[in-house]
Amino acid sequence: MGKRANKRTPKRRGYATLSTVLLAPIAEPFEITPPTVLPTVAPLSQIHFYLNGKAIQLAQVASTQTVLQYLREDAHLCGTKEGCAEGDCGACTVMIGDVATNQAGTASAINLRTVNACIQFVATLHGKALYTVEALGGAHPAQLAMVDCHGAQCGFCTPGFVMSLCHLYDQNSAPSDAEVRAALTGSLCRCTGYKPIIAAGLNMARYPKVAFNTALTGTLAPAIEHPANTEPAANAFYSPTTLRELHQLKAAHPTATVLAGGTDVGLWVNKQFRQLGHVIYVGNVENFAKITEHLSHFEIGAGASLAATYAALAPHYPQMNQMWERFASPPIRHAGTIGGNIANGSPIGDSMPAFIALGATVRVSSARGSRVLALEDLYRSYQVKNMAPDEVVERIFVPLLTTIAKLAYRFRVYKISKRFDSDISAVCMAIAMSVEQGVIKQVRIGMGGMSGVPQRAPHLEQALLLYAFTGETFENAKAALALDFQPLSDLRATAQYRLQVAQNLLTRFYLECENPQDETSLDVANFQL
Amino acid sequence: MNITPSPTEKVQVHESAHLHVAGTAVYVDDIAERQGTLHAAFGLSACAHGKILSMDFSNVISAAGVVKVLTAGNIAGENNCGPIIHDDPILADGTVHYFGQPVFIVVAQTHDLARRAAVMARIEYAPLPPTFSTRDAAEKCQFVVPPIHKQRGDAAQAIKSAPRKISGHFEVGGQEQFYLEGQISYAIPVENKGMQVFCSTQHPSEMQHHIAHCLNIPFNQVTVETRRMGGAFGGKESQSAIFACAAAIAANACAAPVKLRPDRDDDMLITGKRHDFNYDFEAGFDATGRLLGVKFSLISRAGYSADLSGPVAARALCHVDNAYYLSAVDVRVMAARTNTQSNTAFRGFGGPQGALAIEYVLDTIAHELGLDALEVRRVNFYDEADKLDKRCTTHYDMTVEDFPLRDMLAKLEASSDYWARRAEISAFNDSHGVLRRGLALTPVKFGISFNVNHYNQAGALVQIYTDGTVLVNHGGTEMGQGLHTKIMQIVAQEFGLTLDAVRITATDTAKVPNTSATAASSGTDLNGKAAQNAAQKIKARLSEFAQVKYGFGDLRFADGYAHIGDNQVSFKYFITAAYQARVQLWSDGFYATPKIHWNRDMISGRPFYYFAYGLAATEVVVDTLTGEYKCLRVDILHDAGTSINPALDIGQIEGGFIQGMGWLTTEELVWNKDGKLMTHAPSTYKIPTVNDCPKDFRVALYDQPNREDTILKSKAVGEPPLLLAFSAFFAIRDAISYGQKNAAPLSAPATPEAVLRAYTAALAQTAQEL
């Protein structure tokens, strides 16, 4: 039996102390927005965007028409394919950019990123630039390399791969094997086995350099809006531009669907035929995607993409890298938002276990004001959150470690799934602990896939807290997991596997922390011959 | 710029590659729609087995954009799309047999409206007891076709008197084809009660027949056209029929063009997959691992109807030997009827499931004897036909005339550095607690030809126009495998032309009739010979013409010229001259595979014209804490005869390997207790992705001509490479069995969970023995 190294049993003190001692405190005042009556925000009635560089104006767009439906059925651009209509196969991969206008008034596309056209709604294109495979002209290095390397067999997935390779080329025309693979995890190919596609990515650099033409012709007319006092028709599409407008709309339409990246909402429409009612799109809310690095913590706007969040956190928390690489695919990470992942509260969402372990907090707000709560306290039970109908998730605060705290700090995130890339976790486990003089002084464990919500593991934490950091302690603590969780059996894993793996991950955590120099020898994904 | 590694002129890129990358290759859903086109969707059964008590379509009919609802009663002709046995209704007629079975068709103004309306029907069922387990079905003798049984020698006695024996059980899961382009048909009524259907199918002729039957019109009023498929893998051989028929029925009923494109989820819920198999085995062997007798009992999941389950069972039976001589063998294959999707063709067509049986047995024997599995495999190999001890006859009485595997194995053993790596892996496993490495080298011998004799025929049309360009049409379909490219190469070679002078048009039942499915790896073998035959007929006429016109009969075509004696004229000039001399510049061609014969009742004969061979060595690393694994290195040596196009053949080998690896590792089909398939989309059904492709992946062709007179001495290459993935499965088993008393009881798919379970069981057995 492992003995408690410190006999003074601290009850639940351990939970409170981790964020207050180990992690710098977060001072966020409780804000109250004055309850003034503001003019009603009108829904978008016309959608203006650039299609392959040319200005387009669409009237009467159904709020849930997808970009893929528009491209194939209305624009008759059939190069973009439908393989699954749920963002999992990549056959519909297109590029979206923001529009920048220089002093001379010339518009160009910036911040190009790949997204899945099948789950993006046309209305979210308003003010954006959309590029399809037809924009490439057939002689882009990505296309030439795919031909010469025999990267296409049946050809159906090919335009999607070409778009992902084109996006990669735009950022890095001579990518490494790892970079090519990382860029392509969102596309399925059933014919080639991927080797010639990887070869194409590696060979793009051998063709004459091409710069993607980001020039935009024509100007986007300002949106024509309904008079403010008109009650909109059913299923209006709102695109507020300030937080205040967002709050106001949510107060006026508490049952409206809040739409961010659409990586889940798109499936509600395509697969479940859900009626969304009014849609409130948060993609154009000012500062909603902003990420700010403070001395003690990151402040991440709920609208920040998963990709941007990853990029910001990676230097501070490299232990999360593999989880992020396996977390969906580049097109999904470009579209999906951290706030969407958190507000959705899926029991198998992968960002929450890690953030819970790190002691992250979340600010939810409404026209009535805002409040900050521990992330784990946002979730009550399956699909039930501690949020009022008029509230939205506004910001996430992720603590940063001080140099001193890092010395005593051990943190790991493990994602276990059938397939390495882009698969929903059977189990996601994040463990954060501080160890001082061989004793576990603080511990927070976030778990996904083990119950109806992402949550902490209180019994397990208690079984570790204030014990010596030894293999025996971890071995003895394993039994506590069964007190915390009675996982389900489903198509991804049985209850037995979930519990067994979670217990074994404790062993892995211990072994990795005990021999950090030998770490890669425990990780099949990074194992090299 | 061409950066293709091999400079040989045989290496040609896919004829549509430039269209694929530009997004301008036209698939059925990309065809510009005719005015007035309507869209259909199926309403699916929400009951695995039951009588339909009532169907209320009021909500469907009143839904936005709905034009018509059609049920079984609206089918003028035969309500069947079963390819062999007519037990496969297009629309359920009174009884539903699986969750997801099409019950009705809704036709609407748009694809989206049709889909939304299709879920609004209220259908009441009186449930009947369903059967989901194949073991249960077999116990109740529920079979879609009678079980087949073959014996050679007295296996039971041989096992009984053998010095060592094993027995056991294992399973292999099914596999969704997951063609990236889903099923689709676009039916257009044409004048005088005719029907033209654009269909993503491997079998346009069979689609033509089914459509004619269900519309009750003769074959000559139906044309089916297929330019290309976005993948098929067997899934569009027979099972494109339900979509082709439904689109045609709807188009006929609405007197308008109708397109039917199921959503991915519906596609996966409706259509059949690779058969999962359940195995019982007994084997007797000697101290070297040589088999003395072996008994197999195989139960496949046919699903609710026969479809192609009979031929799949036959091919499984004919492949339980894989590359090994079985002196005394008893094998039984049963096709169990269950209330699930009707399983169908998928690359290998039962061959992989059959061959996996003997590989599992040999792998288990090797562990039992403490021998390297490669040595046990080698000691059981067939001998070539000229050897005295006659270990060269299959259990279905076909002589294995060529057997290059011994030579190929020697080469791959060396090039993959098998034995040094084996030693290194053992050392690694001895010094590491958590990660285990494993290595396996497995062979493939795969029979080439349809098991049904009359399918082994093909036709082609070759037409030369007066500008010297050539148009080819043949009965095979293009699904990405590069068939059209190879046929273009064959015809271009006959006329000494480059590929840009040859064009292939869509496969069309109005051009070449009575074709066989492009299946059984036979596409190039059959259609290539037919196209060559057509070209040679034209060449014979041109020779006669040259004799008359120039006085020389030795006509030769090369480099774009007709060489007549010592003279040469451009191909175009020569053709124009021939035209003016009223020479027929087009011809049909035909081919029927020689030598093959098959007695289905006796399970005896020569069902295969020849065998294709291959070997793969795969190394993996497994995490024994989680069951996760990674494929580290793959070395393949594969026999494609004299390759017509090495780039395309290597593409088939690499793609087949990864597809097979998916089948045996991450691809898991899961049904819930109500019989609903829960893995019906890529979010839940996990085919390999880019990181599953090993970083070190070495593929070489065993470049030897086919001993038979096949097209340009090549060998078929579509299906055989899928079996190379056995090496990945057995490498995982090798890793987790290392140091254990018994080989880990691993079944496929070897998901991380299955791997951890098998490893945990092996540990427990070892602990028990101590």
Side-chain angles (χ1 to χ4, degrees):
Chain A
M1 271 299 282
K3 269 198 288 193
R4 282 212 190 238
N6 184 338
K7 296 287 181 191
R8 286 168 295 161
T9 310
K11 295 181 189 169
R12 288 181 61 85
R13 205 175 133 251
Y15 307 121
T17 53
L18 191 71
S19 58
T20 52
V21 179
L22 180 69
L23 311 170
I26 299 157
E28 276 303 318
F30 189 80
E31 292 172 7
I32 301 288
T33 311
T36 50
V37 178
L38 295 161
T40 307
V41 183
L44 276 183
S45 60
Q46 296 211 353
I47 312 298
H48 303 267
F49 66 102
Y50 291 97
L51 174 58
N52 292 335
K54 294 199 184 84
I56 293 269
Q57 182 172 327
L58 301 176
Q60 292 174 325
V61 173
S63 61
T64 56
Q65 186 186 22
T66 67
V67 172
L68 184 62
Q69 285 168 335
Y70 163 75
L71 287 172
R72 295 188 56 84
E73 294 172 15
D74 297 348
H76 303 297
L77 292 174
C78 291
T80 309
K81 309 297 183 192
E82 179 181 313
C84 69
E86 60 174 10
D88 264 290
C89 80
C92 66
T93 305
V94 293
M95 277 198 290
I96 286 182
D98 300 320
V99 175
T101 309
N102 66 14
Q103 286 177 334
T106 311
S108 62
I110 57 166
N111 301 332
L112 289 173
R113 63 232 179 230
T114 51
V115 299
N116 300 106
C118 66
I119 48 174
Q120 292 300 313
F121 299 143
V122 177
T124 66
L125 294 176
H126 187 69
K128 301 275 197 309
L130 170 69
Y131 293 96
T132 68
V133 69
E134 285 86 356
L136 301 188
H140 187 279
Q143 294 173 308
L144 298 175
M146 280 289 276
V147 170
D148 288 338
C149 295
H150 311 279
Q153 286 185 20
C154 85
F156 198 81
C157 68
T158 311
F161 275 100
V162 163
M163 292 307 282
S164 287
L165 285 174
C166 173
H167 178 245
L168 174 64
Y169 182 85
D170 205 38
Q171 298 175 313
N172 176 1
S173 61
S176 68
D177 179 85
E179 288 164 338
V180 170
R181 288 172 188 256
L184 299 178
T185 60
S187 287
L188 298 176
C189 168
R190 193 52 150 167
C191 297
T192 64
Y194 302 97
K195 190 180 164 193
I197 302 175
I198 297 167
L202 292 171
N203 278 297
M204 292 191 293
R206 298 177 62 174
Y207 298 85
K209 178 103 173 126
V210 166
F212 191 77
N213 181 7
T214 56
L216 300 170
T217 57
T219 48
L220 298 185
I224 300 160
E225 296 181 346
H226 288 293
N229 56 359
T230 317
E231 183 59 25
N235 307 330
F237 189 93
Y238 291 98
S239 182
T241 55
T242 64
L243 188 60
R244 177 176 283 197
E245 286 179 357
L246 170 58
H247 286 154
Q248 197 187 28
L249 283 166
K250 197 74 172 88
H253 306 292
T255 60
T257 303
V258 175
L259 174 70
T263 55
D264 201 35
V265 174
L267 274 68
W268 301 356
V269 172
N270 289 352
K271 301 297 179 180
Q272 299 168 10
F273 305 126
R274 268 205 237 175
Q275 298 293 332
L276 300 186
H278 295 319
V279 173
I280 304 172
Y281 176 56
V282 298
N284 293 317
V285 174
E286 194 183 8
N287 288 333
F288 205 61
K290 196 171 169 188
I291 300 177
T292 313
E293 184 176 345
H294 300 286
L295 212 55
S296 62
H297 64 278
F298 264 106
E299 180 180 349
I300 303 168
S305 71
L306 295 164
T309 306
Y310 169 35
L313 291 176
H316 299 274
Y317 290 113
Q319 303 95 332
M320 290 169 77
N321 283 356
Q322 194 182 97
M323 185 275 284
W324 283 114
E325 281 162 22
R326 299 179 67 171
F327 186 149
S329 63
I332 295 290
R333 294 198 296 262
H334 292 146
T337 63
I338 197 70
N341 197 242
I342 282 169
N344 196 20
S346 162
I348 42 188
D350 282 332
S351 65
M352 289 85 93
F355 287 157
I356 286 172
L358 288 174
T361 54
V362 56
R363 180 158 81 198
V364 297
S365 62
S366 69
R368 295 178 290 119
S370 72
R371 57 201 175 95
V372 174
L373 60 167
L375 178 55
E376 61 267 31
D377 293 337
L378 186 65
Y379 309 112
R380 269 194 210 148
S381 59
Y382 182 64
Q383 305 256 307
V384 180
K385 285 175 284 289
N386 275 318
M387 278 171 72
D390 64 339
E391 282 183 318
V392 293
V393 171
E394 186 196 317
R395 281 181 182 345
I396 296 97
F397 304 95
V398 180
L400 287 179
L401 295 175
T402 62
T403 314
I404 295 164
K406 271 182 194 166
L407 293 174
Y409 199 67
R410 285 132 213 247
F411 173 53
R412 293 289 184 284
V413 186
Y414 303 113
K415 175 175 162 70
I416 305 297
S417 54
K418 274 185 209 171
R419 187 176 72 189
F420 184 80
D421 292 320
S422 192
D423 191 3
I424 289 168
S425 298
V427 173
C428 185
M429 185 175 200
I431 307 171
M433 60 173 62
S434 70
V435 179
E436 288 169 37
Q437 291 162 343
V439 176
I440 299 168
K441 287 289 190 176
Q442 277 137 16
V443 56
R444 293 177 65 97
I445 295 174
M447 300 285 305
M450 298 291 282
S451 67
V453 290
Q455 66 179 65
R456 289 178 71 174
H459 289 92
L460 177 59
E461 290 179 7
Q462 277 300 326
L464 294 165
L465 189 66
L466 301 181
Y467 282 94
F469 187 82
T470 63
E472 197 187 9
T473 295
F474 281 85
E475 201 55 43
N476 291 336
K478 282 180 176 179
L481 257 168
L483 302 174
D484 287 323
F485 301 102
Q486 291 80 46
L488 291 176
S489 290
D490 65 11
L491 62 97
R492 296 195 175 87
T494 62
Q496 187 195 359
Y497 178 70
R498 287 185 156 112
L499 210 51
Q500 187 183 0
V501 157
Q503 289 173 337
N504 286 353
L505 287 173
L506 287 171
T507 304
R508 179 160 162 196
F509 176 85
Y510 171 73
L511 292 173
E512 285 184 354
C513 294
E514 191 63 8
N515 296 301
Q517 73 282 3
D518 201 26
E519 192 165 318
T520 52
S521 72
L522 291 170
D523 179 5
V524 289
N526 286 317
F527 188 88
Q528 303 283 347
L529 273 182
Chain B
M1 179 187 341
N2 190 323
I3 54 164
T4 305
S6 170
T8 154
E9 63 180 19
K10 284 175 155 190
V11 172
Q12 296 286 344
V13 299
H14 193 285
E15 42 86 18
S16 291
H18 61 297
L19 306 177
H20 294 151
V21 299
T24 51
V26 175
Y27 302 81
V28 173
D29 199 36
D30 305 333
I31 295 169
E33 285 172 13
R34 303 285 177 94
Q35 214 165 28
T37 291
L38 300 171
H39 298 264
F42 277 125
L44 307 183
S45 161
C47 168
H49 193 201
K51 291 264 181 224
I52 297 174
L53 294 178
S54 67
M55 296 192 281
D56 174 0
F57 296 120
S58 52
N59 288 342
V60 184
I61 289 161
S62 61
V66 169
V67 175
K68 225 175 198 56
V69 174
L70 298 161
T71 60
N74 299 103
I75 299 173
E78 192 188 6
N79 180 16
N80 171 62
C81 56
I84 301 168
I85 297 169
H86 291 202
D87 61 350
D88 223 335
I90 300 161
L91 295 174
D93 198 359
T95 307
V96 292
H97 299 281
Y98 70 101
F99 200 119
Q101 181 177 357
V103 176
F104 66 95
I105 304 166
V106 53
V107 189
Q109 299 291 347
T110 71
H111 179 256
D112 192 51
L113 291 173
R115 285 186 62 219
R116 283 168 191 276
V119 298
M120 293 179 182
R122 283 188 290 243
I123 302 176
E124 277 186 293
Y125 305 93
L128 296 167
T131 306
F132 296 133
S133 141
T134 53
R135 292 245 167 203
D136 289 352
E139 269 167 32
K140 290 188 268 184
C141 289
Q142 285 178 200
F143 302 117
V144 295
V145 289
I148 50 175
H149 183 211
K150 179 72 182 178
Q151 295 182 77
R152 173 163 71 182
D154 187 343
Q157 184 55 43
I159 295 167
K160 202 174 160 193
S161 55
R164 302 287 297 265
K165 30 188 147 325
I166 54 165
S167 64
H169 163 78
F170 74 103
E171 291 163 23
V172 64
Q175 185 181 26
E176 160 66 31
Q177 288 83 4
F178 210 88
Y179 25 68
L180 259 288
E181 177 212 31
Q183 301 273 1
I184 181 167
S185 280
Y186 182 28
I188 300 167
V190 294
E191 64 177 27
N192 202 11
K193 297 179 186 167
M195 192 64 71
Q196 182 183 22
V197 181
F198 296 93
C199 179
S200 183
T201 181
Q202 295 169 250
H203 204 344
S205 285
E206 191 169 277
M207 299 308 107
Q208 176 198 24
H209 302 164
H210 281 306
I211 292 162
H213 285 144
C214 74
L215 296 180
N216 206 15
I217 57 177
F219 291 177
N220 67 2
Q221 280 180 254
V222 180
T223 59
V224 175
E225 185 179 318
T226 305
R227 172 56 185 93
R228 62 171 62 78
M229 286 164 273
F233 313 109
K236 296 172 181 172
E237 181 174 346
S238 65
Q239 302 221 352
S240 44
I242 196 164
F243 306 96
C245 290
I249 289 163
N252 190 49
C254 300
V258 172
K259 192 192 281 185
L260 174 47
R261 173 173 68 85
D263 178 66
R264 174 66 61 183
D265 297 61
D266 286 356
D267 187 320
M268 289 180 74
L269 285 168
I270 294 168
T271 61
K273 294 128 200 356
R274 182 190 297 286
H275 297 66
D276 58 77
F277 270 62
N278 224 298
Y279 306 81
D280 288 307
F281 62 86
E282 276 179 71
F285 50 95
D286 65 18
T288 68
R290 180 171 275 201
L291 283 165
L292 301 171
V294 62
K295 275 182 84 169
F296 288 114
S297 172
L298 278 58
I299 310 170
S300 76
R301 177 184 301 278
Y304 87 99
S305 70
D307 189 80
L308 300 169
S309 296
V312 164
R315 186 165 278 268
L317 188 144
C318 288
H319 282 79
V320 290
D321 59 334
N322 194 17
Y324 313 106
Y325 176 72
L326 307 179
S327 51
V329 55
D330 181 316
V331 52
R332 190 181 297 275
V333 187
M334 292 158 273
R337 185 190 297 279
T338 55
N339 292 104
T340 49
Q341 292 79 0
S342 187
N343 283 335
T344 189
F346 190 159
R347 199 177 199 169
F349 201 75
Q353 294 98 317
L356 189 62
I358 193 70
E359 292 298 340
Y360 200 93
V361 166
L362 294 182
D363 194 72
T364 308
I365 288 172
H367 196 91
E368 188 83 7
L369 293 172
L371 296 172
D372 193 282
L374 181 55
E375 291 307 355
V376 174
R377 290 187 163 102
R378 196 188 332 243
V379 81
N380 283 290
F381 268 170
Y382 279 105
D383 285 332
E384 285 186 62
D386 53 0
K387 289 278 163 60
L388 289 174
D389 56 359
K390 296 289 178 201
R391 289 173 54 90
C392 62
T393 313
T394 67
H395 54 296
Y396 48 89
D397 310 316
M398 175 169 169
T399 304
V400 180
E401 292 174 341
D402 65 341
F403 192 76
L405 277 174
R406 286 176 191 278
D407 181 43
M408 291 171 71
L409 177 55
K411 289 187 163 66
L412 191 71
E413 252 177 315
S415 68
S416 69
D417 206 12
Y418 180 86
W419 294 104
R421 285 165 65 199
R422 171 63 75 201
E424 193 211 327
I425 288 166
S426 297
F428 176 92
N429 289 342
D430 286 336
S431 62
H432 285 72
V434 171
L435 297 192
R436 287 289 159 84
R437 282 159 68 187
L439 174 67
L441 197 164
T442 59
V444 179
K445 168 182 130 290
F446 196 86
I448 302 297
S449 293
F450 286 100
N451 273 47
V452 177
N453 263 11
H454 68 261
Y455 291 164
N456 297 292
Q457 58 173 307
L461 284 175
V462 173
Q463 307 170 182
I464 307 176
Y465 293 93
T466 51
D467 66 350
T469 61
V470 180
L471 190 72
V472 184
N473 197 276
H474 61 90
T477 55
E478 175 64 42
M479 59 197 91
Q481 80 278 47
L483 171 61
H484 286 353
T485 314
K486 285 186 176 178
I487 302 267
M488 284 163 69
Q489 288 179 273
I490 291 161
V491 173
Q493 187 176 325
E494 288 296 326
F495 293 113
L497 299 171
T498 51
L499 286 197
D500 52 11
V502 182
R503 185 179 167 94
I504 292 205
T505 51
T507 313
D508 186 342
T509 57
K511 288 193 174 144
V512 176
N514 312 330
T515 55
S516 296
T518 307
S521 307
S522 69
T524 307
D525 281 16
L526 298 177
N527 297 289
K529 274 283 191 187
Q532 187 187 47
N533 175 245
Q536 287 176 348
K537 284 189 193 172
I538 300 170
K539 280 168 77 175
R541 292 186 203 127
L542 290 171
S543 282
E544 272 179 46
F545 161 69
Q547 180 74 54
V548 172
K549 170 136 176 132
Y550 300 101
F552 294 101
D554 71 333
L555 174 66
R556 191 169 62 80
F557 295 106
D559 312 319
Y561 287 90
H563 299 262
I564 309 136
D566 292 335
N567 305 312
Q568 60 178 57
V569 292
S570 78
F571 186 73
K572 181 183 170 182
Y573 178 90
F574 180 73
I575 287 298
T576 307
Y579 167 74
Q580 285 165 351
R582 297 193 291 177
V583 175
Q584 185 186 340
L585 293 173
W586 52 274
S587 175
D588 64 326
F590 186 76
Y591 178 71
T593 311
K595 295 189 177 179
I596 50 176
H597 54 90
W598 183 239
N599 183 327
R600 205 177 68 170
D601 299 326
M602 300 299 294
I603 310 183
S604 174
R606 177 178 182 162
F608 309 121
Y609 188 24
Y610 62 91
F611 295 104
Y613 298 90
L615 289 161
T618 296
E619 182 176 348
V620 300
V621 59
V622 180
D623 177 355
T624 58
L625 291 175
T626 63
E628 291 187 303
Y629 43 80
K630 187 178 175 185
C631 182
L632 297 170
R633 175 175 166 183
V634 177
D635 293 67
I636 290 173
L637 181 59
H638 196 83
D639 161 34
T642 300
S643 175
I644 294 173
N645 185 327
L648 295 180
D649 288 348
I650 286 173
Q652 288 297 299
I653 294 162
E654 291 168 350
F657 177 87
I658 296 293
Q659 195 174 68
M661 191 173 76
W663 168 46
L664 296 170
T665 58
T666 59
E667 295 184 35
E668 186 175 30
L669 294 164
V670 181
W671 287 266
N672 73 7
K673 62 177 176 32
D674 300 323
K676 182 184 183 188
L677 179 69
M678 299 305 287
T679 48
H680 49 73
S683 51
T684 47
Y685 183 75
K686 309 313 279 189
I687 73 167
T689 48
V690 66
N691 275 315
D692 296 311
C693 175
K695 279 213 175 83
D696 193 349
F697 194 179
R698 310 176 194 194
V699 179
L701 295 174
Y702 182 69
D703 194 13
Q704 296 290 325
N706 195 338
R707 58 177 279 130
E708 300 297 342
D709 178 26
T710 53
I711 183 71
L712 304 179
K713 290 286 188 183
S714 66
K715 282 191 177 181
V717 74
E719 293 165 295
L722 186 118
L723 288 77
L724 297 168
F726 290 173
S727 57
F729 176 80
F730 288 111
I732 293 171
R733 194 174 188 225
D734 180 55
I736 59 173
S737 302
Y738 186 85
Q740 305 302 335
K741 174 80 177 68
N742 296 325
L746 182 66
S747 277
T751 59
E753 171 162 1
V755 170
L756 186 62
R757 194 188 308 121
Y759 176 69
T760 307
L763 275 184
Q765 283 172 0
T766 304
Q768 210 170 26
E769 300 276 343
L770 289 175

